[in-house]
mmCIF file of all heavy atoms in Angstrom:
data_model
loop_
_atom_site.group_PDB
_atom_site.id
_atom_site.type_symbol
_atom_site.label_atom_id
_atom_site.label_comp_id
_atom_site.label_asym_id
_atom_site.label_seq_id
_atom_site.Cartn_x
_atom_site.Cartn_y
_atom_site.Cartn_z
ATOM 1 N N THR A 904 1.729 -3.436 -1.873
ATOM 2 C CA THR A 904 1.975 -4.535 -2.745
ATOM 3 C C THR A 904 2.849 -5.771 -2.104
ATOM 4 O O THR A 904 3.554 -5.409 -1.141
ATOM 5 C CB THR A 904 2.706 -4.122 -3.998
ATOM 6 O OG1 THR A 904 2.917 -5.193 -4.887
ATOM 7 C CG2 THR A 904 4.108 -3.483 -3.630
ATOM 8 N N THR A 905 2.573 -6.884 -2.580
ATOM 9 C CA THR A 905 3.457 -8.116 -2.142
ATOM 10 C C THR A 905 4.351 -8.440 -3.333
ATOM 11 O O THR A 905 5.143 -9.382 -3.211
ATOM 12 C CB THR A 905 2.574 -9.240 -1.907
ATOM 13 O OG1 THR A 905 1.791 -9.531 -3.057
ATOM 14 C CG2 THR A 905 1.642 -9.019 -0.651
ATOM 15 N N GLY A 906 4.319 -7.687 -4.445
ATOM 16 C CA GLY A 906 5.164 -8.043 -5.624
ATOM 17 C C GLY A 906 6.501 -7.372 -5.689
ATOM 18 O O GLY A 906 6.571 -6.061 -5.544
ATOM 19 N N ALA A 907 7.566 -8.093 -5.753
ATOM 20 C CA ALA A 907 8.918 -7.582 -5.774
ATOM 21 C C ALA A 907 9.091 -6.713 -6.994
ATOM 22 O O ALA A 907 9.702 -5.612 -6.906
ATOM 23 C CB ALA A 907 9.937 -8.718 -5.805
ATOM 24 N N ALA A 908 8.558 -7.087 -8.077
ATOM 25 C CA ALA A 908 8.717 -6.334 -9.400
ATOM 26 C C ALA A 908 8.048 -4.884 -9.180
ATOM 27 O O ALA A 908 8.644 -3.980 -9.581
ATOM 28 C CB ALA A 908 8.221 -7.127 -10.506
ATOM 29 N N VAL A 909 6.894 -4.905 -8.606
ATOM 30 C CA VAL A 909 6.133 -3.649 -8.437
ATOM 31 C C VAL A 909 6.822 -2.798 -7.485
ATOM 32 O O VAL A 909 6.967 -1.536 -7.689
ATOM 33 C CB VAL A 909 4.665 -3.945 -7.909
ATOM 34 C CG1 VAL A 909 4.050 -2.616 -7.680
ATOM 35 C CG2 VAL A 909 3.889 -4.630 -9.047
ATOM 36 N N MET A 910 7.445 -3.358 -6.381
ATOM 37 C CA MET A 910 8.228 -2.585 -5.431
ATOM 38 C C MET A 910 9.463 -1.864 -6.147
ATOM 39 O O MET A 910 9.736 -0.754 -5.877
ATOM 40 C CB MET A 910 8.728 -3.456 -4.311
ATOM 41 C CG MET A 910 7.642 -3.906 -3.365
ATOM 42 S SD MET A 910 8.332 -5.085 -2.114
ATOM 43 C CE MET A 910 9.564 -4.193 -1.322
ATOM 44 N N LYS A 911 10.098 -2.581 -6.944
ATOM 45 C CA LYS A 911 11.238 -2.109 -7.690
ATOM 46 C C LYS A 911 10.798 -0.914 -8.669
ATOM 47 O O LYS A 911 11.425 0.053 -8.728
ATOM 48 C CB LYS A 911 11.945 -3.095 -8.597
ATOM 49 C CG LYS A 911 13.211 -2.641 -9.241
ATOM 50 C CD LYS A 911 13.868 -3.832 -9.835
ATOM 51 C CE LYS A 911 15.310 -3.413 -10.402
ATOM 52 N NZ LYS A 911 15.181 -2.331 -11.474
ATOM 53 N N ILE A 912 9.649 -1.118 -9.390
ATOM 54 C CA ILE A 912 9.260 -0.111 -10.227
ATOM 55 C C ILE A 912 8.822 1.218 -9.504
ATOM 56 O O ILE A 912 9.143 2.306 -9.777
ATOM 57 C CB ILE A 912 7.940 -0.566 -10.988
ATOM 58 C CG1 ILE A 912 8.358 -1.740 -12.010
ATOM 59 C CG2 ILE A 912 7.314 0.566 -11.829
ATOM 60 C CD1 ILE A 912 7.303 -2.478 -12.658
ATOM 61 N N ASN A 913 8.197 0.974 -8.328
ATOM 62 C CA ASN A 913 7.804 2.100 -7.494
ATOM 63 C C ASN A 913 8.939 2.853 -6.986
ATOM 64 O O ASN A 913 8.972 4.050 -6.978
ATOM 65 C CB ASN A 913 7.102 1.701 -6.187
ATOM 66 C CG ASN A 913 5.461 1.175 -6.572
ATOM 67 O OD1 ASN A 913 5.066 1.497 -7.600
ATOM 68 N ND2 ASN A 913 4.929 0.541 -5.613
ATOM 69 N N SER A 914 10.070 2.122 -6.663
ATOM 70 C CA SER A 914 11.329 2.782 -6.127
ATOM 71 C C SER A 914 11.896 3.662 -7.137
ATOM 72 O O SER A 914 12.405 4.815 -7.042
ATOM 73 C CB SER A 914 12.296 1.713 -5.692
ATOM 74 O OG SER A 914 13.431 2.270 -5.236
ATOM 75 N N GLU A 915 11.853 3.188 -8.463
ATOM 76 C CA GLU A 915 12.449 3.888 -9.577
ATOM 77 C C GLU A 915 11.679 5.166 -9.887
ATOM 78 O O GLU A 915 12.129 6.166 -10.280
ATOM 79 C CB GLU A 915 12.368 3.038 -10.797
ATOM 80 C CG GLU A 915 13.437 1.858 -10.773
ATOM 81 C CD GLU A 915 13.129 0.836 -11.940
ATOM 82 O OE1 GLU A 915 12.106 0.927 -12.699
ATOM 83 O OE2 GLU A 915 13.987 -0.150 -11.969
ATOM 84 N N LEU A 916 10.355 5.125 -9.546
ATOM 85 C CA LEU A 916 9.479 6.330 -9.693
ATOM 86 C C LEU A 916 9.605 7.343 -8.511
ATOM 87 O O LEU A 916 9.080 8.515 -8.645
ATOM 88 C CB LEU A 916 8.017 5.929 -9.788
ATOM 89 C CG LEU A 916 7.566 5.195 -11.061
ATOM 90 C CD1 LEU A 916 6.206 4.616 -10.985
ATOM 91 C CD2 LEU A 916 7.719 6.141 -12.360
ATOM 92 N N GLY A 917 10.254 6.975 -7.560
ATOM 93 C CA GLY A 917 10.518 7.853 -6.353
ATOM 94 C C GLY A 917 9.653 7.544 -5.095
ATOM 95 O O GLY A 917 9.745 8.325 -4.135
ATOM 96 N N TYR A 918 8.996 6.435 -5.098
ATOM 97 C CA TYR A 918 8.320 5.985 -3.897
ATOM 98 C C TYR A 918 9.402 5.576 -2.851
ATOM 99 O O TYR A 918 10.439 5.038 -3.236
ATOM 100 C CB TYR A 918 7.444 4.690 -4.205
ATOM 101 C CG TYR A 918 6.237 4.932 -5.003
ATOM 102 C CD1 TYR A 918 6.261 5.319 -6.356
ATOM 103 C CD2 TYR A 918 5.025 4.787 -4.427
ATOM 104 C CE1 TYR A 918 5.162 5.479 -7.049
ATOM 105 C CE2 TYR A 918 3.803 4.865 -5.075
ATOM 106 C CZ TYR A 918 3.886 5.169 -6.412
ATOM 107 O OH TYR A 918 2.690 5.335 -7.240
ATOM 108 N N ILE A 919 9.078 5.646 -1.604
ATOM 109 C CA ILE A 919 9.934 5.105 -0.537
ATOM 110 C C ILE A 919 9.146 4.223 0.378
ATOM 111 O O ILE A 919 7.903 4.443 0.476
ATOM 112 C CB ILE A 919 10.505 6.238 0.351
ATOM 113 C CG1 ILE A 919 9.506 7.135 0.958
ATOM 114 C CG2 ILE A 919 11.538 7.065 -0.595
ATOM 115 C CD1 ILE A 919 9.926 8.130 1.898
ATOM 116 N N PRO A 920 9.674 3.202 0.882
ATOM 117 C CA PRO A 920 8.884 2.331 1.988
ATOM 118 C C PRO A 920 8.512 3.177 3.159
ATOM 119 O O PRO A 920 9.295 4.000 3.647
ATOM 120 C CB PRO A 920 9.954 1.293 2.256
ATOM 121 C CG PRO A 920 11.045 1.417 1.243
ATOM 122 C CD PRO A 920 11.041 2.802 0.812
ATOM 123 N N VAL A 921 7.339 3.050 3.601
ATOM 124 C CA VAL A 921 6.847 3.741 4.718
ATOM 125 C C VAL A 921 5.930 2.722 5.578
ATOM 126 O O VAL A 921 5.762 1.658 5.132
ATOM 127 C CB VAL A 921 5.941 4.906 4.291
ATOM 128 C CG1 VAL A 921 6.715 6.002 3.592
ATOM 129 C CG2 VAL A 921 4.786 4.488 3.529
ATOM 130 N N SER A 922 5.608 3.275 6.742
ATOM 131 C CA SER A 922 4.890 2.393 7.693
ATOM 132 C C SER A 922 3.358 2.654 7.303
ATOM 133 O O SER A 922 3.009 3.599 6.627
ATOM 134 C CB SER A 922 5.037 2.919 9.120
ATOM 135 O OG SER A 922 4.559 4.187 9.351
ATOM 136 N N TYR A 923 2.520 1.783 7.699
ATOM 137 C CA TYR A 923 1.086 1.924 7.281
ATOM 138 C C TYR A 923 0.454 3.198 7.921
ATOM 139 O O TYR A 923 -0.427 3.614 7.376
ATOM 140 C CB TYR A 923 0.353 0.685 7.878
ATOM 141 C CG TYR A 923 0.410 -0.568 7.062
ATOM 142 C CD1 TYR A 923 1.612 -0.837 6.341
ATOM 143 C CD2 TYR A 923 -0.526 -1.491 6.937
ATOM 144 C CE1 TYR A 923 1.633 -2.005 5.524
ATOM 145 C CE2 TYR A 923 -0.634 -2.569 6.226
ATOM 146 C CZ TYR A 923 0.640 -2.899 5.403
ATOM 147 O OH TYR A 923 0.711 -3.998 4.675
ATOM 148 N N SER A 924 1.035 3.669 8.997
ATOM 149 C CA SER A 924 0.463 4.875 9.577
ATOM 150 C C SER A 924 0.693 6.195 8.731
ATOM 151 O O SER A 924 0.017 7.133 8.870
ATOM 152 C CB SER A 924 1.068 5.200 10.886
ATOM 153 O OG SER A 924 2.456 5.337 10.852
ATOM 154 N N ASP A 925 1.634 6.023 7.707
ATOM 155 C CA ASP A 925 1.782 7.158 6.813
ATOM 156 C C ASP A 925 0.780 7.173 5.597
ATOM 157 O O ASP A 925 0.896 8.065 4.813
ATOM 158 C CB ASP A 925 3.176 6.976 6.234
ATOM 159 C CG ASP A 925 4.220 7.244 7.215
ATOM 160 O OD1 ASP A 925 4.094 8.337 7.988
ATOM 161 O OD2 ASP A 925 5.316 6.425 7.263
ATOM 162 N N LEU A 926 -0.022 6.104 5.512
ATOM 163 C CA LEU A 926 -0.993 6.069 4.464
ATOM 164 C C LEU A 926 -2.237 6.680 4.933
ATOM 165 O O LEU A 926 -2.414 7.185 6.062
ATOM 166 C CB LEU A 926 -1.292 4.529 4.078
ATOM 167 C CG LEU A 926 0.027 3.810 3.831
ATOM 168 C CD1 LEU A 926 -0.395 2.287 3.426
ATOM 169 C CD2 LEU A 926 0.870 4.497 2.657
ATOM 170 N N THR A 927 -3.183 6.638 3.969
ATOM 171 C CA THR A 927 -4.503 7.385 4.259
ATOM 172 C C THR A 927 -5.239 6.547 5.348
ATOM 173 O O THR A 927 -5.088 5.388 5.617
ATOM 174 C CB THR A 927 -5.511 7.368 3.085
ATOM 175 O OG1 THR A 927 -6.771 7.839 3.368
ATOM 176 C CG2 THR A 927 -5.659 5.872 2.521
ATOM 177 N N ASP A 928 -6.025 7.342 6.236
ATOM 178 C CA ASP A 928 -6.811 6.662 7.259
ATOM 179 C C ASP A 928 -8.221 6.585 6.844
ATOM 180 O O ASP A 928 -9.177 6.318 7.696
ATOM 181 C CB ASP A 928 -6.743 7.598 8.573
ATOM 182 C CG ASP A 928 -7.162 9.017 8.421
ATOM 183 O OD1 ASP A 928 -7.626 9.311 7.306
ATOM 184 O OD2 ASP A 928 -7.137 9.645 9.462
ATOM 185 N N ASP A 929 -8.551 6.757 5.556
ATOM 186 C CA ASP A 929 -9.836 6.738 5.054
ATOM 187 C C ASP A 929 -10.308 5.304 5.155
ATOM 188 O O ASP A 929 -9.761 4.409 4.591
ATOM 189 C CB ASP A 929 -9.807 7.107 3.543
ATOM 190 C CG ASP A 929 -11.195 7.316 2.916
ATOM 191 O OD1 ASP A 929 -12.178 6.436 3.255
ATOM 192 O OD2 ASP A 929 -11.471 8.156 2.156
ATOM 193 N N ASN A 930 -11.399 5.043 5.946
ATOM 194 C CA ASN A 930 -11.898 3.695 6.181
ATOM 195 C C ASN A 930 -12.360 2.963 4.940
ATOM 196 O O ASN A 930 -12.340 1.770 4.820
ATOM 197 C CB ASN A 930 -12.948 3.731 7.267
ATOM 198 C CG ASN A 930 -12.522 4.049 8.618
ATOM 199 O OD1 ASN A 930 -11.384 3.496 9.001
ATOM 200 N ND2 ASN A 930 -13.243 4.765 9.406
ATOM 201 N N GLU A 931 -12.824 3.774 3.962
ATOM 202 C CA GLU A 931 -13.282 3.137 2.790
ATOM 203 C C GLU A 931 -12.126 2.351 2.045
ATOM 204 O O GLU A 931 -12.359 1.387 1.334
ATOM 205 C CB GLU A 931 -13.843 4.153 1.777
ATOM 206 C CG GLU A 931 -15.214 4.749 2.310
ATOM 207 C CD GLU A 931 -16.269 3.602 2.458
ATOM 208 O OE1 GLU A 931 -16.406 2.843 1.506
ATOM 209 O OE2 GLU A 931 -16.846 3.484 3.502
ATOM 210 N N PHE A 932 -10.897 2.997 2.092
ATOM 211 C CA PHE A 932 -9.823 2.293 1.447
ATOM 212 C C PHE A 932 -9.476 1.003 2.150
ATOM 213 O O PHE A 932 -9.366 -0.130 1.571
ATOM 214 C CB PHE A 932 -8.535 3.208 1.595
ATOM 215 C CG PHE A 932 -7.261 2.509 1.223
ATOM 216 C CD1 PHE A 932 -6.977 2.185 -0.175
ATOM 217 C CD2 PHE A 932 -6.397 1.999 2.126
ATOM 218 C CE1 PHE A 932 -5.863 1.357 -0.516
ATOM 219 C CE2 PHE A 932 -5.252 1.284 1.914
ATOM 220 C CZ PHE A 932 -5.017 0.985 0.467
ATOM 221 N N TRP A 933 -9.304 1.084 3.517
ATOM 222 C CA TRP A 933 -9.071 -0.214 4.229
ATOM 223 C C TRP A 933 -10.181 -1.236 4.142
ATOM 224 O O TRP A 933 -9.985 -2.407 4.277
ATOM 225 C CB TRP A 933 -8.814 0.122 5.720
ATOM 226 C CG TRP A 933 -7.570 1.008 5.801
ATOM 227 C CD1 TRP A 933 -7.657 2.318 5.892
ATOM 228 C CD2 TRP A 933 -6.167 0.571 5.664
ATOM 229 N NE1 TRP A 933 -6.162 2.784 5.966
ATOM 230 C CE2 TRP A 933 -5.379 1.783 5.790
ATOM 231 C CE3 TRP A 933 -5.646 -0.630 5.297
ATOM 232 C CZ2 TRP A 933 -3.948 1.671 5.705
ATOM 233 C CZ3 TRP A 933 -4.204 -0.745 5.321
ATOM 234 C CH2 TRP A 933 -3.452 0.397 5.403
ATOM 235 N N LYS A 934 -11.479 -0.877 3.922
ATOM 236 C CA LYS A 934 -12.548 -1.799 3.782
ATOM 237 C C LYS A 934 -12.182 -2.684 2.449
ATOM 238 O O LYS A 934 -12.656 -3.862 2.488
ATOM 239 C CB LYS A 934 -13.874 -1.136 3.527
ATOM 240 C CG LYS A 934 -14.484 -0.575 4.839
ATOM 241 C CD LYS A 934 -15.840 -0.001 4.530
ATOM 242 C CE LYS A 934 -16.450 0.638 5.836
ATOM 243 N NZ LYS A 934 -17.720 1.207 5.461
ATOM 244 N N GLY A 935 -11.611 -2.196 1.606
ATOM 245 C CA GLY A 935 -11.185 -2.931 0.310
ATOM 246 C C GLY A 935 -10.329 -4.094 0.573
ATOM 247 O O GLY A 935 -10.308 -5.038 -0.199
ATOM 248 N N CYS A 936 -9.598 -3.978 1.699
ATOM 249 C CA CYS A 936 -8.748 -5.168 2.097
ATOM 250 C C CYS A 936 -9.512 -6.416 2.624
ATOM 251 O O CYS A 936 -8.899 -7.485 2.728
ATOM 252 C CB CYS A 936 -7.602 -4.771 3.180
ATOM 253 S SG CYS A 936 -6.544 -3.526 2.582
ATOM 254 N N GLN A 937 -10.750 -6.258 2.848
ATOM 255 C CA GLN A 937 -11.579 -7.311 3.394
ATOM 256 C C GLN A 937 -11.531 -8.546 2.510
ATOM 257 O O GLN A 937 -11.839 -9.683 2.889
ATOM 258 C CB GLN A 937 -13.035 -6.842 3.705
ATOM 259 C CG GLN A 937 -13.008 -5.861 4.850
ATOM 260 C CD GLN A 937 -14.465 -5.268 5.157
ATOM 261 O OE1 GLN A 937 -15.359 -5.721 4.370
ATOM 262 N NE2 GLN A 937 -14.633 -4.528 6.117
ATOM 263 N N SER A 938 -11.468 -8.351 1.149
ATOM 264 C CA SER A 938 -11.449 -9.444 0.228
ATOM 265 C C SER A 938 -10.146 -10.146 0.060
ATOM 266 O O SER A 938 -10.051 -11.246 -0.662
ATOM 267 C CB SER A 938 -11.919 -8.964 -1.201
ATOM 268 O OG SER A 938 -10.994 -8.021 -1.692
ATOM 269 N N CYS A 939 -9.151 -9.683 0.697
ATOM 270 C CA CYS A 939 -7.818 -10.334 0.820
ATOM 271 C C CYS A 939 -7.787 -11.474 1.796
ATOM 272 O O CYS A 939 -8.267 -11.409 2.915
ATOM 273 C CB CYS A 939 -6.754 -9.350 1.071
ATOM 274 S SG CYS A 939 -5.049 -10.037 1.180
ATOM 275 N N VAL A 940 -7.150 -12.601 1.379
ATOM 276 C CA VAL A 940 -7.047 -13.756 2.275
ATOM 277 C C VAL A 940 -6.186 -13.392 3.511
ATOM 278 O O VAL A 940 -6.398 -14.228 4.561
ATOM 279 C CB VAL A 940 -6.406 -14.922 1.519
ATOM 280 C CG1 VAL A 940 -7.284 -15.335 0.395
ATOM 281 C CG2 VAL A 940 -4.891 -14.580 1.052
ATOM 282 N N ASN A 941 -5.402 -12.357 3.552
ATOM 283 C CA ASN A 941 -4.763 -12.026 4.682
ATOM 284 C C ASN A 941 -5.228 -10.958 5.603
ATOM 285 O O ASN A 941 -4.656 -10.333 6.457
ATOM 286 C CB ASN A 941 -3.203 -11.482 4.249
ATOM 287 C CG ASN A 941 -2.500 -12.648 3.417
ATOM 288 O OD1 ASN A 941 -2.359 -13.722 3.946
ATOM 289 N ND2 ASN A 941 -2.073 -12.312 2.326
#
């Protein structure tokens, strides 16, 4: 997320900041980022 409010909510739920390497390596997930301007 790029949203500060969502980051805060996630933190309250027990999420912690991690590196991208800690996320899924499923290519189908990352393909979804192709529609992002970044």
